[in-house]
Amino acid sequence: MTPRSSLNRSLLGLTGLVLLGGGLLILSAGLDLYRRRDLVPPDGWPLTAPADVLLGSADRTRWSGQGWWWWPAVIAALALVALLALWWLLAQLRRHRPGSLPVGGTPPQEGVEVRDSALSDAIETEAGALPGVDHATVRITGRPARHHTRVGLTLTPEAVPRAVLGALCEGPLRTARRSTGLPDLPTEVRLHVTRHRPHRAE
């Protein structure tokens, strides 16, 4: 899971909890569940009866008496929250994967293209079969003209990182460049070592 997806899931989860809590609070007050179930809410608990309001007359009078700046500050804060929510929504809709990569460079020759998922699967399969590699993951991001390949390799305890990197560059990555005709394939490689039990000397 990438940091971006983790942040998105955290924000969505937090937003969902807030909306769920607010909905349950309003529903319990509207159905008068506290009185029907003989429940005693904590002191200062909002919306405990159908006739209750979230902001009473005393509170409105107290906040209105703060001065002329209060309502402009509230409106500015709400506008800022709305703009941030809109920016986050547009960021989710924006594509962060190239979709298709031209075969033969840019512009593509005779309209021949290869899907980024197919190319990443091919690189991943070939990289996973390299000596010293226990598992491989490949993801292609960016735009067709400025794509970026992320490779994650989980090495066996006996693997030599320098040799594995050399085999990766001369094998799967070189095959991908030759197959697509792309002049270069910007790649970021992250190496991990699989966990293993320590050997016991006798």
Side-chain angles (χ1 to χ4, degrees):
M1 185 184 298
T2 63
R4 179 185 179 86
S5 62
S6 300
L7 177 61
N8 288 341
R9 292 184 181 185
S10 300
L11 290 176
L12 286 175
L14 181 60
T15 304
L17 289 176
V18 171
L19 293 177
L20 179 62
L24 292 176
L25 185 67
I26 295 174
L27 184 63
S28 59
L31 298 177
D32 201 12
L33 293 181
Y34 297 104
R35 184 183 60 82
R36 292 182 179 181
R37 300 295 180 179
D38 293 329
L39 299 176
V40 180
D43 293 337
W45 192 257
L47 302 178
T48 58
D52 288 349
V53 294
L54 187 61
L55 192 62
S57 300
D59 293 328
R60 291 197 302 270
T61 302
R62 180 166 59 90
W63 290 116
S64 299
Q66 297 296 322
W68 64 269
W69 57 269
W70 172 247
W71 287 114
V74 171
I75 295 174
L78 293 177
L80 180 61
V81 172
L83 288 176
L84 289 176
L86 180 61
W87 168 81
W88 179 75
L89 177 61
L90 293 177
Q92 306 313 305
L93 298 178
R94 191 167 55 240
R95 174 179 285 273
H96 292 276
R97 299 187 63 180
S100 297
L101 294 173
V103 175
T106 304
Q109 295 181 357
E110 300 180 357
V112 180
E113 296 181 337
V114 59
R115 297 291 300 176
D116 60 339
S117 57
L119 182 60
S120 62
D121 288 344
I123 299 175
E124 183 176 305
T125 301
E126 192 172 349
L130 293 175
V133 176
D134 183 68
H135 180 70
T137 58
V138 178
R139 179 178 174 85
I140 299 177
T141 59
R143 298 185 301 238
R146 298 183 60 183
H147 53 273
H148 186 78
T149 305
R150 301 179 185 271
V151 180
L153 298 179
T154 302
L155 307 182
T156 61
E158 299 80 12
V160 180
R162 182 187 297 272
V164 173
L165 285 177
L168 177 68
C169 295
E170 295 299 324
L173 297 182
R174 186 175 182 180
T175 301
R177 288 196 302 268
R178 185 171 60 249
S179 300
T180 58
L182 296 173
D184 60 350
L185 195 65
T187 305
E188 174 186 343
V189 181
R190 295 188 177 185
L191 301 179
H192 307 276
V193 179
T194 184
R195 294 183 178 181
H196 63 285
R197 293 182 178 180
H199 297 287
R200 181 177 181 181
E202 296 182 357

